[in-house]
Amino acid sequence: MSRPPIHDVPLAEAPIRLGQFLKLAGLAEDGAQARRLVEDGAVQVNGRVETRRGAQLQHSDVVAVGELRARPVPS
């Protein structure tokens, strides 16, 4: 079974904080949910669990929550 495609999220500038990106990409409904996902270890960045909501993402970093994946790309 194949994984869903990675959703590209255009950003004018990088870096962006993980919590902000989760909301922007639609991986979290709001800041509170983003915080819970990160604290619960449910977020991966480039295949590794990320527990810092303020972690800085660069263009092309892949963020995953469950089977959903997104990455910031230049706009």
Side-chain angles (χ1 to χ4, degrees):
M1 185 188 306
S2 65
R3 294 177 71 175
I6 299 172
H7 174 67
D8 288 336
V9 179
L11 293 180
E13 294 184 23
I16 184 171
R17 291 184 181 176
L18 178 59
Q20 292 173 318
F21 183 75
L22 289 170
K23 295 182 291 185
L24 185 64
L27 299 174
E29 292 182 15
D30 55 30
Q33 184 184 24
R35 185 185 74 242
R36 283 192 305 274
L37 288 169
V38 172
E39 288 175 352
D40 291 347
V43 179
Q44 291 187 356
V45 176
N46 299 327
R48 294 186 170 170
V49 173
E50 180 58 73
T51 58
R52 299 171 298 144
R53 189 172 50 146
Q56 300 288 308
L57 300 176
Q58 300 295 329
H59 288 136
S60 78
D61 284 338
V62 176
V63 177
V65 177
E67 290 295 314
L68 301 176
R69 298 181 297 158
R71 71 177 154 221
V73 296
S75 60

